[in-house]
Amino acid sequence: MQLFSTFENHIFLEIAIANLEKIGIKKEDIYAVPLDNRKESRKLFDTLHRSDGLSLIDIAMPLATASAVVTASIGFELKWGPIYWGLIGAIGGFVVGLVIRLFLVFVNNRETDRLKGKQSEVILIVECDETKSQIVEKILWEHLALGLAKVIK
């Protein structure tokens, strides 16, 4: 049986490996594989096949609608009329909302938004008998494994 678990690169990983060796798991049956975490930043614009969930127009569209309504109602008293002033307000509100959103995206450190919470840095693979699998699983969970999977051969 193989147990796959993910850990942060932390002292608890070393303690878990030491405890696994204490219960009789040989060093040859314990594999620790470090992961390369993404270093490149996300793309600003989404494509048809990839989306990161970040919308650039989520502020711009409501602001364009509100600006269009306000300027159209004011436009009844102005020379160009409500239609032109409503369109001017909609375009102006959209541009202001887009500038606000772009400012928030560029000011906000996008590296911290990429992976929220804890991130896996090491995969630990343990080969053991089915009789020891419960003990190994308990040791891995006690030492703050982020995830665990069992594969029966």
Side-chain angles (χ1 to χ4, degrees):
M1 169 176 271
Q2 288 183 331
L3 284 112
F4 294 84
S5 58
T6 58
F7 284 88
E8 287 184 279
N9 197 0
H10 200 264
I11 190 68
F12 290 118
L13 173 63
E14 300 293 330
I15 295 171
I17 293 172
N19 286 341
L20 291 173
E21 291 174 356
K22 283 182 186 176
I23 64 166
I25 307 290
K26 294 183 275 185
K27 283 185 179 183
E28 296 84 29
D29 293 334
I30 300 172
Y31 307 101
V33 182
L35 296 172
D36 292 332
N37 288 324
R38 170 174 262 177
K39 291 179 178 65
E40 65 187 38
S41 62
R42 294 187 296 184
K43 306 255 188 284
L44 185 61
F45 295 106
D46 296 337
T47 64
L48 181 64
H49 302 289
R50 182 197 55 83
S51 175
D52 58 2
L54 177 70
S55 174
L56 294 178
I57 62 170
D58 59 346
I59 296 174
M61 292 305 281
L63 201 57
T65 304
S67 299
V69 169
V70 170
T71 54
S73 63
I74 294 172
F76 280 107
E77 298 176 3
L78 298 175
K79 183 179 181 183
W80 288 353
I83 294 176
Y84 285 127
W85 283 108
L87 291 172
I88 291 169
I91 293 169
F94 185 83
V95 169
V96 168
L98 189 63
V99 167
I100 290 170
R101 187 56 161 161
L102 287 173
F103 177 75
L104 292 175
V105 166
F106 286 122
V107 168
N108 187 13
N109 185 4
R110 295 181 58 173
E111 294 298 317
T112 58
D113 286 343
R114 188 177 33 150
L115 294 171
K116 294 182 179 171
K118 298 182 180 195
Q119 63 187 46
S120 298
E121 295 177 346
V122 177
I123 297 175
L124 187 69
I125 304 169
V126 180
E127 288 190 32
C128 64
D129 297 331
E130 288 189 36
T131 57
K132 292 184 180 180
S133 68
Q134 294 294 331
I135 299 168
V136 170
E137 185 177 350
K138 182 180 177 201
I139 289 172
L140 294 175
W141 282 125
E142 285 177 354
H143 291 89
L144 304 178
L146 298 176
L148 190 103
K150 293 185 218 177
V151 176
I152 301 173
K153 287 184 176 182

